[in-house]
Amino acid sequence: MAGLFDKQADLYLDARPNYPSEWFSKLADLTDHHGLAWDAATGNGQAALAVAEHYERVIATDVSESQLKLATPHPRISYRHTPSSMTDDELVELIGGENSVDLITVAQGVHWFDLPRFYAVATRLLRKPGGIIAVWGYNDVIVSPEFDAVQYRFHATTLPFWKYPYIQHIFDSYEALPFPFESVGMGSEGKPLKLEMPKTTSFEGIIRMFKSWSAIVTAREKGVELLPESLVRELETAWGGSDLVRSVVYKAFMIAGKVRV
C-alpha cells in the first residue's frame, strides 16, 4: 500500500497514540540477543524509537519517503526507504542478512502487507533460535458515552472509503490475521493479546487523529467531506468543549511469535 499515508504524514506524526514502554521491555526480554532489530512500516519512527532503547541497532524501513522525512533521528536507528520495487533478496541484505535479526516489529501496519511475502522475508531474517516477531494494531478509542455515540456514527460513514480487505484486519482486532509463527505467550494466530493504550489529549488532538485516517483523505479526493464543520461542532459539544483535555483509551491487540522449528 505504497503512498497510502503520504498526504497526511504530518497529521499522522502528531495525532497517533504512544505505545507503552512496557510492551517493548517484555518483547526485549523474549529475545536471546539485543544486537539488531527491524521496525517495518516505521512511518515516523514512533515504534523504532522505543525499540532502540533495548537494541544496539535498529533498521527502520518504510515505503513512504514523506513519512521518513518526519522521523525523529536517533543514534541507534537507521531509517531506510524501501520502495515496493525492492526484491526480497535486496531487502534481506539491507536489513542485515539471513539469521541476523533479534526482533522484528510492525506497529499498525502489517495488515497492509503482502503477508506471505513479508512472513517469508521475516523468517529468513530472524535469528533461529532466539528471534521474535511482533505485530500490533489498534482500533477503537474510548472517550465517554456521549462522545463515543457520535464518533461511532461518524466512523460508519467512513466505511466505504477504506482499503479492503486490508483494513478489515484492524476492524477485526487481528483475530483473522494469518500469523505462521509459534506463540511466545503474547498472543497467537486467532487469539491476539488484548491491550490498552491510555492517552491524554485535547479535542484538537482527537480531530487530528480522525483526519489522519486514510479513509478521510480518500473520500476527500472523491469529493466527499466526512468531517464537515457541523460534525466537528457536534463532536466538540460531546467532548465537553474545545478547551477540555481528556484521558482516553485506545483498544489495542498484539501477536508475537518465533520461527517454528
Side-chain angles (χ1 to χ4, degrees):
M1 305 307 298
L4 187 62
F5 295 97
D6 286 353
K7 295 178 181 178
Q8 69 267 38
D10 58 336
L11 289 172
Y12 199 97
L13 173 63
D14 178 69
R16 299 295 173 129
N18 300 317
Y19 305 121
S21 60
E22 57 264 28
W23 292 9
F24 300 93
S25 298
K26 290 179 180 178
L27 290 171
D29 287 343
L30 291 172
T31 65
D32 291 346
H33 305 276
H34 300 88
L36 178 62
W38 173 29
D39 185 46
T42 196
N44 54 60
Q46 183 181 7
L49 291 166
V51 172
E53 295 299 312
H54 301 276
Y55 293 83
E56 295 173 12
R57 287 198 305 132
V58 180
I59 307 298
T61 65
D62 207 285
V63 297
S64 171
E65 288 185 282
S66 62
Q67 288 270 11
L68 290 172
K69 288 177 182 177
L70 296 172
T72 303
H74 189 285
R76 289 195 292 275
I77 300 176
S78 296
Y79 292 104
R80 306 290 179 85
H81 179 228
T82 49
S84 54
S85 60
M86 182 173 284
T87 68
D88 293 357
D89 287 343
E90 289 171 336
L91 183 57
V92 169
E93 182 179 359
L94 174 71
I95 303 305
E98 297 194 8
N99 202 42
S100 67
V101 177
D102 300 303
L103 177 67
I104 296 174
T105 53
V106 191
Q108 192 73 353
V110 77
H111 49 281
W112 301 117
F113 288 4
D114 176 338
L115 290 174
R117 180 184 180 189
F118 170 67
Y119 289 149
V121 168
T123 298
R124 291 173 61 182
L125 283 167
L126 281 173
R127 279 184 184 263
K128 295 171 279 291
I132 298 294
I133 177 172
V135 302
W136 65 85
Y138 56 89
N139 44 30
D140 293 341
V141 55
I142 308 302
V143 179
S144 69
E146 295 79 12
F147 186 87
D148 294 346
V150 181
Q151 71 153 322
Y152 293 152
R153 174 160 45 84
F154 155 62
H155 183 266
T157 69
T158 72
L159 295 178
F161 301 99
W162 293 99
K163 300 290 186 182
Y164 294 92
Y166 310 99
I167 197 64
Q168 193 63 47
H169 285 306
I170 286 290
F171 295 161
D172 294 340
S173 303
Y174 281 5
E175 290 182 357
L177 182 79
F179 192 76
F181 298 92
E182 183 179 337
S183 176
V184 291
M186 295 184 69
S188 60
E189 184 178 69
K191 295 182 179 179
L193 177 65
K194 299 300 175 68
L195 299 162
E196 292 186 344
M197 296 187 295
K199 183 179 177 68
T200 300
T201 187
S202 64
F203 176 70
E204 180 182 359
I206 207 79
I207 291 298
R208 288 176 69 85
M209 188 273 290
F210 290 153
K211 288 181 177 179
S212 74
W213 290 355
S214 60
I216 301 299
V217 176
T218 299
R220 190 171 294 129
E221 290 173 346
K222 296 181 178 181
V224 178
E225 179 54 64
L226 295 177
L227 262 179
E229 281 302 313
S230 58
L231 177 57
V232 173
R233 288 194 296 271
E234 185 178 0
L235 286 164
E236 180 182 326
T237 298
W239 180 267
S242 60
D243 296 332
L244 182 63
V245 174
R246 280 185 174 273
S247 295
V248 304
V249 174
Y250 285 84
K251 296 295 185 178
F253 32 88
M254 177 185 290
I255 312 176
K258 61 184 179 180
V259 176
R260 293 190 174 107
V261 292

